[in-house]
């Protein structure tokens, strides 16, 4: 009998250790949440999921409490079942080298504030999105119309950047939209940028010292430049050869899901297709020519220098 009890206690200790190291908050059991909902006078319970894109962590609290981050085991994913109508506070913080971008709910923009309060009125997924940081320390503008120099936007999440002999271009995200700040470089500024060594440990600092004071020539609203779905739907029925002839390029494919990964101008798309791909063919012009387009979906920002070539 003593051996049985000792074995049981040891098993429980091992189970506690295993479950205590989880980085993911699991949803409460249905019976428990329903009981809580009944006590709160509610008949329904809803499932709230909180996830991350990019590198960062999240925390949450109920009923006006302050969320607390788990410093030892940072959490990137949460799932909790609560009584319908419960107020939740969600917060997040970026890992080093990254910057918080936005909260979305079921794919729709919610806020660019790192801490938000929500009402759990339906099953939903909230995502805290993070973008790469530029390493520049400063205060960013809250409205894109206020940006005068690159210092005003460098603290914002970076989507991409590049420079040529004539231009420095910095793509960033603000209030759920993607933008591109364009700077016309003088000969001296261009030479200073090209003289930087990429393997220099202080490269980022030296780069920011050069570009931060530069005056922005114009800002393009990249989100507004994304083709409407109605325009993309007009491509249905065309062949892969038609898209290639119109300036599209292919970077890969998924045979199992019948998806082509394609780029056009500054954006990337997932293109559904009908037909068979011969994986032994390496020439995309030959590979795609007889495939029929069944769908085209915007997938994100691609080469922001595409129209500067």
């Amino acid at each position: 009998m003593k051996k049985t009890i000792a074995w049981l206690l040891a098993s429980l200790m091992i189970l506690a250790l295993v479950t205590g190291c989880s980085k993911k908050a699991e949803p409460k059991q249905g019976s428990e949440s329903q009981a809580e909902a009944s006590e709160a006078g509610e008949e329904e319970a809803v499932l709230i999921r909180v996830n991350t894109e990019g590198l960062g962590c999240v925390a949450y609290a109920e009923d006006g409490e302050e969320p607390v981050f788990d410093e030892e085991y940072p959490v990137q994913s949460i799932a909790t079942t609560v009584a319908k109508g419960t107020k939740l506070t969600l917060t997040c913080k970026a890992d080093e080298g990254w910057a918080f971008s936005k909260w979305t709910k079921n794919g729709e923009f919610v806020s660019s504030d790192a801490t938000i309060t929500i009402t759990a009125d339906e099953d939903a997924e909230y995502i805290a999105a993070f973008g790469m940081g530029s390493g520049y320390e400063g205060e960013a503008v809250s409205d894109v119309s206020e940006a005068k120099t690159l210092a005003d936007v460098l603290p914002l999440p970076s989507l991409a950047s590049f420079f040529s002999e004539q231009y420095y271009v910095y793509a960033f995200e603000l209030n759920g939209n993607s933008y591109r700040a364009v700077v016309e470089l003088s000969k001296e500024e261009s030479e200073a940028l090209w003289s930087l060594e990429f393997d220099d440990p202080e490269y980022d600092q030296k780069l920011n010292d050069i570009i931060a004071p530069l005056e922005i020539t114009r800002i393009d609203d990249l989100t507004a430049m994304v083709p409407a779905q109605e325009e993309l739907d007009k491509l249905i029925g065309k062949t892969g050869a038609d898209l290639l002839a119109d300036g599209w390029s292919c970077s890969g494919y998924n045979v199992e899901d019948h998806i082509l990964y394609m780029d056009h101008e500054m954006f990337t798309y997932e293109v559904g297709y009908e037909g068979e791909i011969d994986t032994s063919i390496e020439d995309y012009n030959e590979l795609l020519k007889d495939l029929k387009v069944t769908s085209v979906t915007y997938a994100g920002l691609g080469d922001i220098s595409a129209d500067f070539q």
Side-chain angles (χ1 to χ4, degrees):
M1 182 65 176
K2 291 182 179 179
K3 290 183 177 179
T4 301
I5 293 174
W7 176 85
L8 178 59
L9 289 174
S11 299
L12 290 173
M13 289 177 66
I14 292 172
L15 178 61
L17 287 172
V18 172
T19 57
C21 293
S22 172
K23 294 186 180 182
K24 179 176 180 179
E26 297 296 337
K28 302 173 184 176
Q29 295 299 317
S31 59
E32 181 182 340
S33 62
Q34 291 291 354
E36 292 176 356
S38 297
E39 291 176 7
E42 299 288 344
E43 295 181 355
E44 297 182 58
V46 297
L47 175 63
I48 300 297
R49 296 185 181 275
V50 184
N51 288 304
T52 56
E53 286 182 357
L55 297 185
C57 59
V58 292
Y60 84 104
E62 300 181 22
D63 301 324
E65 296 292 325
E66 290 292 326
V68 177
F69 291 104
D70 188 329
E71 300 296 341
E72 185 174 4
Y73 298 109
V75 174
Q76 289 81 39
S77 181
I78 296 168
T80 183
T81 305
V82 298
K84 186 174 183 179
T86 299
K87 297 287 186 181
L88 299 174
T89 300
L90 310 181
T91 191
C92 63
K93 63 179 179 180
D95 286 0
E96 184 176 356
W98 291 72
F100 170 69
S101 174
K102 61 185 176 182
W103 281 103
T104 61
K105 175 187 177 183
N106 297 336
E108 297 295 326
F109 174 74
V110 172
S111 176
S112 55
D113 295 329
T115 301
I116 59 174
T117 299
I118 66 167
T119 300
D121 52 7
E122 61 179 346
D123 291 351
E125 180 186 35
Y126 289 83
I127 292 179
F130 304 92
M132 289 293 293
S134 67
Y136 180 80
E137 295 182 2
E139 184 174 351
V141 294
S142 57
D143 189 302
V144 70
S145 64
E146 299 171 354
K148 305 302 179 186
T149 67
L150 284 179
D152 295 327
V153 297
L154 284 176
L156 296 169
S158 173
L159 300 174
S161 64
F162 85 95
F163 63 86
S164 64
E165 292 186 356
Q166 291 182 288
Y167 301 100
Y168 190 93
V169 180
Y170 182 77
F172 60 94
E173 191 162 41
L174 177 61
N175 297 328
N177 287 339
S178 299
Y179 299 94
R180 181 177 66 175
V182 180
V183 170
E184 292 185 11
L185 298 173
S186 67
K187 180 180 179 181
E188 293 75 14
E189 292 162 347
S190 176
E191 289 177 348
L193 288 172
W194 284 103
S195 69
L196 295 176
E197 299 290 340
F198 288 105
D199 57 355
D200 185 342
E202 298 181 356
Y203 175 84
D204 289 341
Q205 181 62 53
K206 292 179 179 179
L207 173 67
N208 287 332
D209 288 344
I210 295 172
I211 65 174
L214 300 181
E215 293 188 5
I216 296 173
T217 304
R218 75 172 194 267
I219 293 183
D220 301 325
D221 186 341
L222 299 180
T223 299
M225 297 168 68
V226 177
Q229 187 59 50
E230 291 79 2
E231 292 300 313
L232 297 178
D233 289 343
K234 294 178 181 178
L235 300 174
I236 295 174
K238 289 194 172 187
T239 65
D242 293 331
L243 295 188
L244 293 174
D246 288 339
W248 290 62
S249 62
C250 183
S251 59
Y253 51 81
N254 183 321
V255 175
E256 182 177 348
D257 295 332
H258 281 237
I259 292 175
L260 302 172
Y261 303 108
M262 302 194 72
D263 304 307
H264 187 239
E265 296 178 343
M266 291 182 292
F267 308 113
T268 64
Y269 301 88
E270 291 187 358
V271 178
Y273 68 88
E274 187 178 82
E276 297 299 325
I277 285 183
D278 184 348
T279 57
S280 66
I281 299 176
E282 296 183 1
D283 183 356
Y284 280 126
N285 290 296
E286 181 68 21
L287 188 73
L288 273 61
K289 66 177 185 179
D290 295 325
L291 300 181
K292 185 177 180 181
V293 175
T294 58
S295 65
V296 182
T297 306
Y298 171 72
L301 192 62
D303 182 6
I304 63 169
S305 68
D307 55 347
F308 282 86
Q309 303 304 320

